[in-house]
Amino acid sequence: MAKASLMDFDKALELFEPVLGFEVHVELNTKTKMFCGCANEFGQGANTNTCPTCLGLPGGLPQMNEKAIESSIRLGLALGCDIAEYSRFARKNYFYPDTAKNFQTSQYDEPIAFDGELTIELASGRQVTVQIERAHMEDDAGKLTHKGGATGRIQGADYSLVDYNRGGVPLVEIVTRMIEGGESDSPEIAKTYVAAVREIVKALGVSNARMEEGNVRCDANVSLRPRGSNILGTRTETKNVNSLRSVERAVRYEIQRQAALLSAGGTITQETRHWHEDTGTTSAGRPKSDADDYRYFPEPDLVPMAPSREWVEELRATLPEPPAARRKRLQSDWGFANLEFQDVVNSDLLDVVEATVAAGASAQSARKWWTGEIARLANVAGVPADTLVQPVQVAGLIELVEAGTLTDRLARQVLEGVIAGEGTPAEVVENRGLAVVSDDGPLIAAIDDALASQPDVLAKIKDGKVQAAGAVIGAVMKAMRGQADAARVRELVLERAGQAG
Amino acid sequence: MPEITAEQVAHLAHLARIDLSQDEITSLTAELGQIVEAVAKVQEVATPDVAATSHPIPLSNVFRPDTVVESLTVEQALSGAPDRDGDKFKVPAILDEE
Amino acid sequence: MTDLIRLSANDLSGLLADRSISSVEATTAHLDHIDAVDGDVHAFLHVARDAALQTAADIDARRASGEPLGPLAGVPIAIKDVLATKDMPSTSGSKILEGWIPPYDATVVARLRAADLVPLGKTNMDEFAMGSSTEHSAYGPTRNPWDLERIPGGSGGGSAAAVSAFEAPLALGSDTGGSIRQPAAVTGSVGVKPTYGGVSRYGAIALASSLDQVGPVSRSVLDAAMLHDVIGGHDPLDSTSLTDAWPSMTQAARAGFEDGALKGVRVGVVKELNGSGFQPGVKQRFDETLALLEGAGAEIIEVSAPNFEYAVAAYYLILPAEASSNLARFDSVRFGIRVNPEDGPLTSERVMAATREAGFGPEVKRRIILGTYALSAGYYDAYYGSAQKVRTLIQRDFDAAFAQADVLVSPAAPTTAFKFGEKLDDPMAMYLNDITTIPANLAGVPGLGLPMGLAPEDGLPVGLQVMAPARADARLYTFGAAVEQLLESTWGHTMLSQAPVLAPNEMFASEEGVV
Ligand SMILES: [Mg+2]
Ligand SMILES: [Zn+2]
C-alpha cells in the first residue's frame, strides 16, 4: 500500500472547508441480548452465550428486549430527540460470516428517536451544536478472528474463526447531520463530540462506555468542500475508530490526505476506510457501489413499537442532569481551579470524587487521594482507578487522616490494606495496629530521650529557633516507627523545650 | 414493466449468494420474466390511498423482560458446524469486506 | 391388531386411557404399517422406531403407575420435517440441511412431548415448503395413497399421505399458502391452518414469516381439534404469537355433533372461488355439499371478494421476498452442508455461493431470485409495497364477507390430485393451484380442509375449505365437525375407508419371508 501524501493541515484549511458527520455505535449494557435471552457479557468463552435465535439457526425467532428499548428511548431523550410514536425494525440484508442471519435487524426509515442536538464545548470555550439526525436500534455482529497470513488482519488471512457471543448484543447507532463550519477545530470537534456522547451514555447508565472494549465505536465521515464552492465533496467513512485520541487523529489525517489528493487533481472515492492505530493512517476499504443493495423491508418476525407518551415522560423523568451542566455545578460547588477540575475529569474520576464527597470527605482531599495515590496504584495494577477501591472507603480513610488518627504515610498503608481486601479503613488500622499513638505518654518519653541526646538542638529551640525542632521530630518519628502524628509531636517538642504555644 | 435481463438475474444471484450456472441464468431469466409479468398485477389496485399491511393480525409493543435465559452449550452450538476450530466456527478466508 | 391403525386419535385415546391397549401396541402397529407401505408412499424422511417405542413404553409405565396423563398421551404422531426436533434430522426437505439435527425442539414439538404424544418420525415436504405437490422435495416425492402415480399435494404431502395411508393418526403440518389444506383436499384427509399467531412458529423453519402457520393434520375434525389444543396458545418466543385465552377446540368440535348444529348458520360462498378453472367433479361435489348444508338448516349466501383476484400475485411477491431473507442463513457456516467451488480460490463468499448453488433446488432458487428482485432498490414500492397493499384489500374483503356470513366456504383446491410432472415445468400453473387457499394466509384468518366426496370423473378425493374470522378457530371446528358428520351419514362411511388398500412393500415382504 503506497503511503498517501498529506497536505499541511493549515494549508488544507486555507483551500478547503471540512464537512464532518459521525455514526457512533453504543453497545447497551442490558443483561441480555437485543432479541434473545442470552447473556450480554464481554470476555466469556467463545460461543457460550448463544441460542437458536442469535446463532441464526433455522427456526430461531427474535423477541425484543424491553430494557434495550427503554435505554434507547432514554438515550434519545438525553440527545434531545423526539421519540417516535411508531417505530419498527427492518432487515438489512447482506451476507457476512459474522452476521448469523445474514441480515442485520436494524431500524431503517422508522427509528425510535430522531431530530436531536448536542452542544459541545471545545477547549477554547467555543460551543458547537451538533444536530442529531436519528438514534436507532440494531443488533451487533459476532466477532471474527483472522488466522494465518502474516498480519492477523483480514488481508492475507488463510481462514477466519467466528465467535457469536457478541452477535445480537443491542446497539444504538447515533447519526449526526452534516457538521459544517468546524474549520480548524474539526479534529477537536470529532473528539469532543464522541467524548460527549460517551459521557451521556455513561451518565444514563445505559452502556459501560468502555471504548477499549468496543462499547462505543465511531465511524467518522469526512469530506472537503473547496473554498468558494457550494458543492459538497465526496466523503469517506473511517470505520470503528475506538479511542477519543484516534477519532481526532483520523479526522485530521483524512482532511490532510483528501486535501493533498484533491489539490493534485485527484478524486476522492466514496469508500469505507480503516484506521490504523499503529501508523496513525487510514487505508482504503470497500468502495460504496451500486451493488450495495440491502433490500430493507420491515422485519416480519417482530411487531411495531408504539411507546406510549406516558412511558416516554416517565423515562424523561429518570434522566440525569446533563453531564456538561453537572460539571459546571460540581466545579463551582467544590471550588476547584480549572486545572484541578480538568485533572479529575480527564482521569475519569468525576463520579468517584463526587461519591467520596457525598460520603463525607472534603472535595480537595477526595481529589488529592483519587488523582494521587489511588491513580498511582491503579496505574501500577493496570486497572481503572474506580475499580480499585470504593468511594466510601476513601472517605473513611480521609476522615481518619483529618481526625489525626492517621498520618498521610500511615494512610497510604491503610489504603493498601483496604485494596488488598483486609476490610474497611478502620478495620485495617485496627488489624495492622497502624493508628497514630495518641496517648502522649510514650511520645513524651521519646521526645525527652531525643532532646537529651541532642542538647545543641534543645538549646537552639530554647533560643527561639523553632525550625530546629525538625531534627528532633524526625528522631521521634523514627523511634515511634512512624506511628505518631507529626503535628502533635511538634507541639510536644516545643512544649518540652519550653516554647509552648 | 422492465424486462428481466440475464445480467439482472446474474446480479440478483450475486446478491443472493447463489453461484448460478449459465443454463440456470438463461432459464430463470425467462421464468422470472413471466412471473414478474403475472405478479405485477398487484399494481392495478395498490393505489396510494391503500395502507400497507405487513402483519396479518396487528400487534404492537411485544416485549421480553431483560432476564437471562439458559444458552445452548458450546457443544450444542457447534454441533451442526461444517467446520470448527476449538470452540469457534471456522470459515474460509474472507476477501470482501463489509 | 391392524385395526389399530385405522382408529381415530380420539378412539385410540379412549382405548389407551382405559388400558385396553398400550401405547407400545399402538406405536408398533403404526411402525409396522410404515415399514409395509412407506416404501411406496414415501411419506417419511425419517422414522424414529427405537425412540418411538421407548417413548411409548415410558408412557405406558407412567400410566400403569397411575399418573394422570393428557387426552392424547400415547397416541403416535408424524411431524413435518419443517419443524426442529432435537432427536431427529430436520431438513425441511432440502439437501442443504441433509442430516442436520437441531440442538433444540420447536415449541409445538416440545408441546407434543409434554402432552406425551409419541413422535414416529419426520414427514416429507416440498423443499422449504415451496410447492403444492411435494415434487420439490430434495429426497424424492411422496405418493398419493389414492393413486401412487399422483401428487399428494404440498408442501405437506408427507403429513397428509401419512395420515391418509394410516401410517399415523395425526401429523403436524405448516401452511403458508395452503400447505396443510390443499394436501388434505387431495388425500381425503383433514387439515387446519389456525389463525395467524394462534400456534407458535418458534422452531418452524421459516418460509414466509408473515404467512406461515403450524397446524394439525388428521383424518377427522375432532382429532384435528384435539391436536390443536395441544399445540396452540401463546408462546413468548414467537413475537407474533397471540395472547388470547383460546376456548377448547375439542369441545368446539364436539358441539358440531349436536343436533341442529348447522341450523341458522350463515354460510358464505365466495363467488370468486367458485367460478371457472374448477374441475367439474370438484364443482359438483361442492354444489352437492351446499345443498346438504341447506337441507340441514344452514343459510347459503353468496358473498363477493373482488380483490381475491389479486391474491396469488400478492402472495408470490410477499412469499419470495420474505423467503429470500429467511433463507439467507443457509450459508455453510453454523449448520448444514458446505460445498466448495469446483475451481478458483476458496473464499468465504465463493464457498457460500457454491453451497447455496448445490444445496438449493430449482424452485427454491427461483423464489429466492424473485424475492431478491422484489425487494431490490427501485422495485420495492412497485412489488413488495404493492403486494402489502393488496393484503389490506383482501382483509377488507374478508371483513365485508364476514359481516354477512359466519363462515366462508369454497373448494379447497381447484382440481383433484394431478399426476407427477404435470405442472412441474410451468411455475405459474403450479402457483395458480393455490388460489383457493392463499387468501386466508394473506389475511391471517383460519381455514379448515375436509373431504367432501370423490370426483366422479377420476374417483379422487375432493376437499371443502371452510374459513372463519381471525380468532374464530373454534367456529371452524364446530362447523367442520357438523359438516363432516352430515357428509359421512349421507355416505354411510368415512371418506378414507374408500381409499385403496396399499399392498405391502415388496422389499418388506421379502424380508418377512427370510424371517
Ligand atoms: Mg447501522
Ligand atoms: Zn441467543
Side-chain angles (χ1 to χ4, degrees):
Chain A
M1 168 176 65
K3 200 169 172 345
S5 61
L6 301 182
M7 182 181 279
D8 173 73
F9 185 73
D10 293 334
K11 178 86 190 301
L13 262 295
E14 270 171 38
L15 298 175
F16 299 100
E17 183 194 341
V19 178
L20 309 178
F22 302 101
E23 285 151 34
V24 175
H25 287 86
V26 176
E27 251 181 22
L28 300 180
N29 59 359
T30 47
K31 290 193 192 72
T32 64
K33 294 186 180 183
M34 183 71 230
F35 298 117
C36 65
C38 291
N40 171 15
E41 292 172 295
F42 182 80
Q44 300 298 300
N47 293 304
T48 48
N49 295 335
T50 65
C51 71
T53 297
C54 61
L55 269 187
L57 295 188
L61 289 176
Q63 312 97 32
M64 277 190 255
N65 181 340
E66 180 164 30
K67 182 74 183 181
I69 291 159
E70 181 186 294
S71 296
S72 306
I73 293 175
R74 292 179 70 231
L75 177 51
L77 290 171
L79 293 169
C81 290
D82 291 345
I83 303 303
E85 305 221 1
Y86 178 90
S87 168
R88 280 197 292 190
F89 279 99
R91 293 187 183 179
K92 179 184 184 181
N93 294 286
Y94 65 93
F95 284 83
Y96 210 66
D98 63 5
T99 303
K101 301 162 286 175
N102 287 316
F103 59 78
Q104 184 186 31
T105 310
S106 179
Q107 297 195 296
Y108 178 47
D109 50 356
E110 296 159 305
I112 185 87
F114 54 93
D115 284 350
E117 61 176 42
L118 180 58
T119 299
I120 57 175
E121 190 175 312
L122 307 183
S124 63
R126 179 185 171 192
Q127 301 222 334
V128 177
T129 297
V130 175
Q131 300 295 325
I132 309 288
E133 182 183 310
R134 54 192 281 153
H136 69 255
M137 288 180 269
E138 56 189 28
D139 57 357
D140 208 344
K143 217 167 174 57
L144 286 170
T145 340
H146 306 293
K147 294 283 180 179
T151 57
R153 282 191 194 150
I154 191 163
Q155 295 90 352
D158 295 325
Y159 62 94
S160 300
L161 300 178
V162 205
D163 169 9
Y164 291 100
N165 279 353
R166 198 183 62 183
V169 163
L171 295 177
V172 176
E173 179 177 340
I174 303 162
V175 183
T176 67
R177 294 191 201 283
M178 278 192 306
I179 304 165
E180 298 176 78
E183 298 296 349
S184 61
D185 288 333
S186 293
E188 191 191 349
I189 289 173
K191 179 186 82 169
T192 311
Y193 168 72
V194 177
V197 169
R198 186 171 164 269
E199 200 171 48
I200 286 174
V201 298
K202 237 183 127 176
L204 288 167
V206 299
S207 172
N208 297 337
R210 292 197 221 286
M211 291 190 80
E212 67 279 11
E213 288 180 11
N215 298 148
V216 176
R217 315 197 280 265
C218 177
D219 300 344
N221 296 314
V222 176
S223 69
L224 296 184
R225 173 159 51 197
R227 296 279 165 198
S229 164
N230 53 12
I231 299 161
L232 279 174
T234 303
R235 69 187 166 87
T236 60
E237 182 180 0
T238 306
K239 302 287 268 184
N240 289 329
V241 195
N242 291 343
S243 79
L244 296 179
R245 185 164 161 269
S246 300
V247 173
E248 184 171 29
R249 288 169 75 205
V251 167
R252 176 180 290 269
Y253 180 88
E254 270 303 291
I255 290 172
Q256 292 181 268
R257 185 188 70 85
Q258 291 185 21
L261 192 54
L262 290 169
S263 300
T267 52
I268 306 297
T269 314
Q270 191 179 347
E271 63 190 2
T272 60
R273 295 189 68 86
H274 301 289
W275 169 248
H276 305 289
E277 190 67 50
D278 44 357
T279 53
T281 60
T282 66
S283 67
R286 207 176 53 106
K288 293 263 177 196
S289 75
D290 295 342
D292 292 338
D293 184 347
Y294 293 120
R295 291 157 284 134
Y296 284 99
F297 72 105
E299 164 58 280
D301 286 324
L302 290 170
V303 303
M305 282 164 273
S308 74
R309 297 302 97 178
E310 293 73 38
W311 190 31
V312 171
E313 290 317 307
E314 270 171 38
L315 293 177
R316 195 192 301 278
T318 69
L319 296 187
E321 185 181 13
R326 172 169 169 250
R327 282 200 308 272
K328 280 213 162 62
R329 174 177 61 79
L330 289 177
Q331 185 177 354
S332 120
D333 284 1
W334 294 343
F336 284 3
N338 281 343
L339 277 179
E340 289 173 335
F341 193 73
Q342 275 316 311
D343 195 18
V344 174
V345 170
N346 295 341
S347 322
D348 228 345
L349 292 168
L350 202 58
D351 289 349
V352 283
V353 169
E354 188 185 23
T356 307
V357 171
S362 74
Q364 280 297 357
S365 301
R367 182 189 62 76
K368 195 189 77 179
W369 277 94
W370 279 105
T371 61
E373 184 63 8
I374 302 172
R376 190 185 67 79
L377 291 172
N379 194 30
V380 170
V383 298
D386 57 359
T387 62
L388 215 52
V389 56
Q390 298 289 319
V392 62
Q393 312 284 36
V394 178
L397 190 72
I398 291 169
E399 194 186 328
L400 291 173
V401 173
E402 287 177 357
T405 310
L406 293 178
T407 61
D408 277 6
R409 200 171 76 82
L410 282 177
R412 284 196 288 275
Q413 291 180 41
V414 173
L415 177 65
E416 279 168 19
V418 171
I419 290 169
E422 293 169 24
T424 64
E427 285 162 359
V428 176
V429 166
E430 175 75 24
N431 295 340
R432 290 196 179 185
L434 289 178
V436 166
V437 177
S438 51
D439 177 355
D440 288 345
L443 274 187
I444 290 167
I447 288 166
D448 287 349
D449 282 353
L451 287 174
S453 62
Q454 301 183 71
D456 50 330
V457 177
L458 177 63
K460 280 184 185 164
I461 300 172
K462 286 193 164 182
D463 277 355
K465 294 183 175 150
V466 291
Q467 62 274 31
V472 181
I473 295 166
V476 171
M477 292 304 284
K478 193 173 175 190
M480 298 301 295
R481 301 206 317 280
Q483 276 173 267
D485 176 354
R488 180 64 185 149
V489 172
R490 181 183 166 81
E491 267 174 33
L492 288 173
V493 168
L494 296 182
E495 195 180 295
R496 304 300 288 176
Q499 284 289 338
Chain B
M1 199 44 50
E3 276 281 296
I4 307 284
T5 64
E7 293 72 55
Q8 214 171 351
V9 171
H11 172 63
L12 294 169
H14 174 74
L15 280 179
R17 284 286 188 286
I18 304 178
D19 194 6
L20 291 180
S21 69
Q22 210 47 56
D23 284 354
E24 283 176 306
I25 291 178
T26 307
S27 59
L28 270 173
T29 304
E31 288 163 7
L32 213 61
Q34 278 177 29
I35 297 170
V36 166
E37 196 184 314
V39 296
K41 188 180 166 82
V42 292
Q43 292 156 13
E44 290 171 21
V45 285
T47 48
D49 56 306
V50 181
T53 294
S54 57
H55 291 79
I57 312 285
L59 294 175
S60 61
N61 295 336
V62 175
F63 302 138
R64 166 181 70 78
D66 187 26
T67 311
V68 176
V69 173
E70 202 179 335
S71 292
L72 295 173
T73 64
V74 179
E75 277 318 305
Q76 284 177 320
L78 285 141
S79 61
D83 199 5
R84 65 187 278 183
D85 183 349
D87 290 342
K88 293 181 177 169
F89 295 89
K90 186 174 174 184
V91 296
I94 300 166
L95 287 194
D96 62 323
E97 296 172 68
E98 184 40 43
Chain C
M1 271 298 144
T2 49
D3 273 344
L4 285 182
I5 63 169
R6 297 203 157 242
L7 294 176
S8 70
N10 180 49
D11 290 344
L12 267 180
S13 140
L15 295 175
L16 286 162
D18 68 16
R19 298 176 63 188
S20 310
I21 59 163
S22 69
S23 177
V24 168
E25 286 167 324
T27 302
T28 304
H30 285 94
L31 288 168
D32 288 351
H33 189 59
I34 291 170
D35 285 347
V37 304
D38 209 54
D40 286 336
V41 178
H42 194 223
F44 284 86
L45 293 177
H46 176 84
V47 177
R49 176 175 266 274
D50 294 347
L53 290 172
Q54 184 60 56
T55 304
D58 291 347
I59 293 164
D60 287 338
R62 285 164 51 212
R63 198 188 302 272
S65 76
E67 188 179 327
L69 300 173
L72 289 176
V75 175
I77 186 165
I79 299 171
K80 190 178 181 182
D81 209 33
V82 75
L83 295 164
T85 48
K86 65 180 173 191
D87 55 355
M88 295 182 271
S90 305
T91 70
S92 210
S94 181
K95 201 163 114 186
I96 208 164
L97 274 181
E98 188 159 14
W100 182 59
I101 300 183
Y104 77 114
D105 273 336
T107 296
V108 289
V109 172
R111 288 184 181 178
L112 291 186
R113 297 194 206 271
D116 293 314
L117 281 90
V118 180
L120 294 174
K122 304 296 287 288
T123 59
N124 199 9
M125 55 186 286
D126 284 299
E127 183 177 2
F128 289 112
M130 294 183 187
S132 313
S133 65
T134 317
E135 290 170 290
H136 296 302
S137 167
Y139 303 99
T142 296
R143 293 167 184 279
N144 192 322
W146 289 79
D147 177 349
L148 296 174
E149 298 308 310
R150 289 177 189 265
I151 60 110
S155 65
S159 284
V163 300
S164 54
F166 301 99
E167 295 173 283
L170 294 172
L172 285 182
S174 69
D175 189 315
T176 305
S179 289
I180 289 176
R181 291 160 289 158
Q182 181 258 9
V186 299
T187 59
S189 55
V190 172
V192 176
K193 180 202 93 71
T195 295
Y196 182 83
V199 176
S200 171
R201 292 185 296 114
Y202 187 79
I205 300 172
L207 169 53
S209 308
S210 74
L211 301 164
D212 295 346
Q213 196 57 199
V214 175
V217 173
S218 64
R219 291 189 296 263
S220 79
V221 173
L222 175 61
D223 281 4
M226 291 173 81
L227 182 51
H228 192 142
D229 282 335
V230 170
I231 60 173
H234 182 244
D235 176 14
L237 295 176
D238 174 357
S239 302
T240 61
S241 168
L242 300 173
T243 53
D244 300 44
W246 297 93
S248 159
M249 303 300 163
T250 307
Q251 276 178 28
R254 289 192 198 283
F257 300 144
E258 284 163 23
D259 287 345
L262 291 167
K263 220 177 198 72
V265 176
R266 298 172 303 159
V267 177
V269 178
V270 184
K271 196 172 79 183
E272 288 76 8
L273 300 181
N274 189 29
S276 64
F278 287 77
Q279 190 179 317
V282 170
K283 181 105 180 63
Q284 183 188 334
R285 294 303 179 221
F286 182 61
D287 292 340
E288 289 165 6
T289 304
L290 293 179
L292 273 180
L293 285 170
E294 199 157 24
E299 190 189 337
I300 309 295
I301 303 159
E302 188 183 70
V303 298
S304 176
N307 294 294
F308 281 19
E309 186 190 336
Y310 301 93
V312 172
Y315 177 81
Y316 279 98
L317 285 164
I318 292 170
L319 178 144
E322 294 182 3
S324 69
S325 175
N326 283 333
L327 296 187
R329 63 187 59 196
F330 297 87
D331 63 358
S332 78
V333 176
R334 297 161 309 285
F335 53 83
I337 62 166
R338 177 177 291 180
V339 175
N340 290 336
E342 279 170 19
D343 41 44
L346 278 191
T347 67
S348 244
E349 183 182 3
R350 297 189 75 242
V351 170
M352 279 186 197
T355 299
R356 291 163 64 79
E357 163 67 4
F360 290 146
E363 180 63 18
V364 175
K365 289 177 194 166
R366 192 179 291 135
R367 295 200 197 184
I368 289 176
I369 298 294
L370 175 59
T372 304
Y373 174 76
L375 289 175
S376 53
Y379 296 111
Y380 179 92
D381 288 340
Y383 294 118
Y384 191 74
S386 295
Q388 290 204 325
K389 289 183 171 193
V390 168
R391 204 165 182 166
T392 308
L393 297 173
I394 285 169
Q395 288 198 329
R396 286 184 197 162
D397 282 359
F398 270 113
D399 289 346
F402 284 124
Q404 296 170 265
D406 300 313
V407 292
L408 301 178
V409 294
S410 77
T415 67
T416 56
F418 47 87
K419 289 204 163 128
F420 287 112
E422 231 175 73
K423 301 191 182 181
L424 212 47
D425 297 328
D426 187 353
M428 265 330 286
M430 189 78 98
Y431 297 173
L432 286 168
N433 199 54
D434 300 334
I435 178 134
T436 48
T437 47
I438 280 173
N441 298 84
L442 288 171
V445 306
L448 175 152
L450 80 165
M452 57 172 176
L454 301 176
E457 61 268 41
D458 54 19
L460 291 169
V462 175
L464 172 72
Q465 175 181 228
V466 188
M467 294 176 282
R471 299 182 153 93
D473 303 52
R475 190 185 300 173
L476 277 189
Y477 286 108
T478 305
F479 182 80
V483 177
E484 178 185 66
Q485 190 180 48
L486 178 64
L487 286 164
E488 287 180 359
S489 67
T490 310
W491 303 329
H493 53 72
T494 65
M495 177 88 168
L496 277 167
S497 64
Q498 304 304 294
V501 173
L502 294 164
N505 152 350
E506 276 173 33
M507 200 158 81
F508 179 77
S510 64
E511 276 171 10
E512 282 286 77
V514 173
V515 174

